Amino acid sequence: MKRILLFIVASVSFLSVVNAQTIAVKSNLLYDVTTTMNLGAEVALSPQLTLDLSGNYNPWKFSDNKKLKNWLVQPELRYWLCSKFNGHFLGIHAHYGEYNAGGIKMLGMEKHRYEGNLIGAGLSYGYQWLLNSRWSLEASLGVGYAYMDYKKYNCEKCGEQLGSYKKNYFGPTKAAISLIYIIK
């Protein structure tokens, strides 16, 4: 799966060098807070359209066998209300990821471990502030749908499988405060 993610990022990077006038590289600071490594690239397709591709990966296991292991890929097509990489934008995004999480005191994961995948799509809104000619700060929120297929285990470490579940989720699907470097 890492090879597929690397291929997607390399392909978007290559196509952007060939066809686009502007490329942005970014990191979502909210993912950084959760120790999740992340990287995004955004390429200009026209004066008001960009394609953003972000990915994240968290391989870490914490003390007391707490874990929030996951990877996620989230492409997004953005329409800028004024001009690309400046001001308000509306987006449509998709997402696919896998997770193995448990032992964390949130969302009911304290006494159980969940292992599975998700796929879905959503709509987003964001705003980007130009800090200077190369640096920007961006905030965005998205809502949408995710189909989750997962297994639930009795405890975060060693428990027996309690069952296999499928869930349809509607709600927040994206949150970002990103630091951006623009390559022209």
Side-chain angles (χ1 to χ4, degrees):
M1 192 49 68
K2 292 178 193 175
R3 288 181 184 171
I4 293 171
L5 179 59
L6 184 60
F7 175 76
I8 291 170
V9 171
S11 297
V12 169
S13 297
F14 175 75
L15 291 173
S16 67
V17 170
V18 172
N19 295 320
Q21 296 177 2
T22 307
I23 306 165
V25 179
K26 57 180 73 179
S27 179
N28 185 343
L29 303 175
L30 297 179
Y31 283 138
D32 292 340
V33 170
T34 66
T35 69
T36 302
M37 297 178 282
N38 69 94
L39 183 63
E42 187 170 0
V43 295
L45 303 175
S46 74
Q48 290 183 281
L49 253 158
T50 60
L51 177 63
D52 178 77
L53 178 64
S54 62
N56 67 55
Y57 178 61
N58 189 332
W60 316 118
K61 190 170 165 183
F62 305 103
S63 63
D64 299 329
N65 203 35
K66 294 177 184 174
K67 63 178 85 172
L68 189 57
K69 292 183 176 188
N70 67 79
W71 68 265
L72 178 77
V73 176
Q74 195 167 48
E76 179 176 49
L77 183 63
R78 293 178 170 180
Y79 175 77
W80 296 81
L81 299 182
C82 200
S83 62
K84 65 183 179 273
F85 302 109
N86 185 19
H88 302 274
F89 66 86
L90 301 171
I92 182 167
H93 61 270
H95 42 261
Y96 179 80
E98 295 179 355
Y99 54 89
N100 184 353
I104 300 170
K105 293 182 181 181
M106 63 181 221
L107 303 175
M109 291 192 291
E110 184 175 7
K111 297 183 193 281
H112 298 99
R113 183 172 65 85
Y114 301 86
E115 185 176 340
N117 59 57
L118 62 87
I119 188 167
L123 300 172
S124 61
Y125 164 78
Y127 191 88
Q128 193 170 125
W129 295 269
L130 296 174
L131 302 177
N132 63 35
S133 64
R134 297 279 184 193
W135 292 95
S136 295
L137 188 64
E138 174 185 288
S140 67
L141 286 173
V143 295
Y145 167 78
Y147 172 77
M148 297 184 285
D149 184 4
Y150 63 95
K151 296 175 183 166
K152 182 177 179 180
Y153 295 88
N154 197 24
C155 69
E156 71 278 359
K157 189 174 184 179
C158 59
E160 65 182 78
Q161 183 178 326
L162 297 175
S164 292
Y165 303 91
K166 297 176 187 321
K167 182 176 182 177
N168 293 303
Y169 166 83
F170 293 94
T173 53
K174 181 173 187 163
I177 298 175
S178 299
L179 185 60
I180 302 166
Y181 181 75
I182 298 174
I183 302 168
K184 294 188 179 187

